[in-house]
């Protein structure tokens, strides 16, 4: 039986908010079986909890923002992707501000924190959400879909009319049953265009943005020393964002995600559509998968655990 997982120990870190520029304290704590991922605003009275579920998505501009009552927490997708990639089911996340610290713009620092805390199996079966039929959502020329697949496959294609973007691979696809999350996906950083950052700062946003936490694309070149970590890092980061957004289903996914010119709004619209059609998915556990499907179960397990 594949069991639920949490952290062995409490671990803490500090970072900067991408938009506020403020110092943020982050604490990851073990949580009981069936808790899921729960954010707690430690800076607010009584530290109100905010469950990491699709039903709590309150905004999707620039990042995924979760809302519960008057409490909000934004930029949750990279940390959620780390939980998904390392197979963490139950965890409390204390955050001292309205956004998760951006760290280096990828999920790699969160992977380091989780692995440093250690991972503990719990005495309960892990539940997976298996997609049974294709679901699609479109908005203009942007589209996303999710379809049946034995494991977890992510594909994305981006299109920007920009000379720098045109010089790099604009499509990425990873089957996480055959790829190591920490090596192939976690290190992909967020990116943006220099002119857009200037406009965001004029609106009081992106105050914490710098070349240590974002890939800055200028008119003719990438401004970061060392360039990209992967030739397709732009597209890979979109896969990372999608993995984090998909974890808002409340269970690891068995299926294939595909996006084209899409972002957080499309990802979360897709989740809402999927959850609104109960015949499009089923919840399964490995102990309930029959012997004749044992090979499939092994493929699924590799899809959600680090090699």
């Amino acid at each position: 039986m594949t069991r639920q997982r949490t952290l062995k120990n409490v671990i803490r870190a500090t970072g900067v908010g991408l938009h506020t520029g403020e110092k943020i304290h982050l604490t990851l704590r073990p949580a009981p079986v069936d808790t899921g991922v729960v954010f707690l605003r430690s800076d607010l009275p009584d530290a109100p909890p905010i469950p990491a579920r699709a039903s709590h998505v309150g905004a999707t501009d620039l990042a995924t923002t979760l809302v519960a009552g008057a409490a909000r927490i934004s930029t949750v997708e990279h940390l959620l992707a780390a939980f998904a990639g390392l197979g963490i089911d139950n965890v409390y996340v204390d955050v001292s501000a309205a956004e998760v610290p951006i760290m280096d713009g990828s999920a790699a620092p969160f992977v380091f924190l989780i692995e440093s805390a250690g991972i503990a199996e719990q005495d309960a079966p892990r539940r997976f959400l298996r997609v049974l039929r294709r679901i699609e959502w479109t908005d203009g020329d942007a589209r996303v879909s999710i379809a049946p697949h034995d494991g977890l496959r992510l594909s994305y294609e981006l299109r920007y009319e920009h000379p720098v973007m045109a010089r790099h691979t604009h499509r990425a696809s990873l089957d996480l049953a055959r790829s190591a999350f920490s090596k192939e996906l976690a290190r992909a950083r967020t990116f943006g265009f220099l002119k857009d950052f200037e406009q965001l700062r004029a609106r009081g946003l992106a105050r914490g943005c710098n070349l240590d936490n974002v890939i800055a694309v200028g008119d003719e070149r990438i401004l970061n020393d060392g360039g990209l970590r992967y030739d397709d890092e732009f597209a890979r980061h979109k896969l990372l964002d999608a993995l984090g957004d998909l974890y808002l289903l409340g269970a690891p996914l068995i299926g294939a995600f595909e996006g084209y010119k899409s972002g957080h709004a499309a990802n979360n619209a897709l989740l809402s559509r999927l959850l609104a059609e109960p015949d499009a998915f089923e919840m399964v556990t490995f102990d309930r998968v029959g012997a004749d499907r044992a090979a499939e179960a092994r493929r699924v397990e590799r899809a959600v655990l680090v090699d």
Side-chain angles (χ1 to χ4, degrees):
M1 177 178 70
T2 296
R3 299 178 184 275
Q4 293 182 34
R5 307 169 103 204
T6 188
L7 304 182
K8 285 184 178 179
N9 301 290
V10 174
I11 194 160
R12 298 176 175 85
T14 57
V16 172
L18 181 65
H19 292 298
T20 63
E22 298 175 357
K23 184 177 181 180
I24 298 172
H25 298 278
L26 175 75
T27 302
L28 307 182
R29 297 186 285 122
V33 163
D34 294 335
T35 299
V37 179
V38 179
F39 292 89
L40 297 101
R41 285 287 304 277
S42 59
D43 59 317
L44 298 180
D46 300 322
I50 310 173
R53 300 299 291 266
S55 58
H56 284 275
V57 173
T60 53
D61 50 324
L62 303 178
T64 294
T65 299
L66 301 175
V67 177
R72 301 168 62 89
I73 185 71
S74 68
T75 322
V76 299
E77 57 272 11
H78 303 165
L79 179 55
L80 288 176
F83 291 146
L86 296 179
I88 302 299
D89 301 283
N90 306 303
V91 61
Y92 293 122
V93 182
D94 300 318
V95 187
S96 67
E99 60 180 325
V100 173
I102 190 63
M103 310 308 274
D104 75 342
S106 77
F110 299 126
V111 169
F112 175 78
L113 287 175
I114 294 165
E115 292 180 336
S116 297
I119 298 173
E121 286 196 344
Q122 299 174 287
D123 191 20
R126 193 173 201 218
R127 293 185 294 272
F128 294 79
L129 188 150
R130 185 197 303 274
V131 178
L132 299 178
R133 62 177 175 84
R134 179 183 172 85
I135 297 290
E136 185 175 271
W137 187 88
T138 61
D139 181 18
D141 58 353
R143 63 179 181 269
V144 286
S145 65
I146 198 165
H149 178 69
D150 292 341
L152 177 57
R153 187 180 68 214
L154 305 170
S155 301
Y156 189 87
E157 184 173 349
L158 53 77
R159 292 288 181 181
Y160 289 101
E161 299 299 327
H162 191 283
V164 175
M165 305 296 280
R167 293 197 293 268
H168 297 278
T169 304
H170 58 266
R171 180 173 176 80
S173 183
L174 286 175
D175 191 324
L176 293 182
R178 300 177 176 84
S179 303
F181 167 78
S182 297
K183 296 178 182 178
E184 302 297 330
L185 193 56
R187 298 178 65 248
R189 296 162 294 174
T190 193
F191 63 92
F193 300 101
L194 186 61
K195 59 181 178 60
D196 292 337
F197 292 135
E198 293 168 348
Q199 293 173 359
L200 288 171
R201 287 197 178 102
R203 294 165 48 195
L205 301 172
R207 293 177 178 176
C209 173
N210 58 57
L211 295 180
D212 292 328
N213 56 37
V214 67
I215 302 171
V217 182
D219 291 338
E220 300 294 335
R221 65 184 180 89
I222 294 169
L223 303 181
N224 305 68
D225 290 340
L228 300 180
R229 293 174 176 174
Y230 318 92
D231 185 68
D232 59 352
E233 188 168 3
F234 300 125
R236 286 199 197 204
H237 187 76
K238 289 290 191 177
L239 297 185
L240 184 73
D241 281 347
L243 180 62
D245 286 340
L246 290 169
Y247 214 46
L248 293 170
L249 288 168
L253 179 73
I254 303 173
F257 168 88
E258 187 166 354
Y260 175 77
K261 297 178 67 173
S262 54
H264 297 298
N267 294 343
N268 285 285
L270 179 67
L271 299 189
S272 295
R273 179 163 292 183
L274 173 66
L275 293 173
E277 302 190 29
D279 65 332
F281 66 92
E282 65 177 350
M283 303 304 296
V284 298
T285 59
F286 282 167
D287 60 329
R288 287 165 49 196
V289 177
D292 59 329
R293 299 166 77 179
E296 177 187 357
R298 287 193 294 271
R299 287 195 296 272
V300 173
E301 185 172 17
R302 288 197 302 272
V304 295
L305 302 179
V306 177
D307 287 356

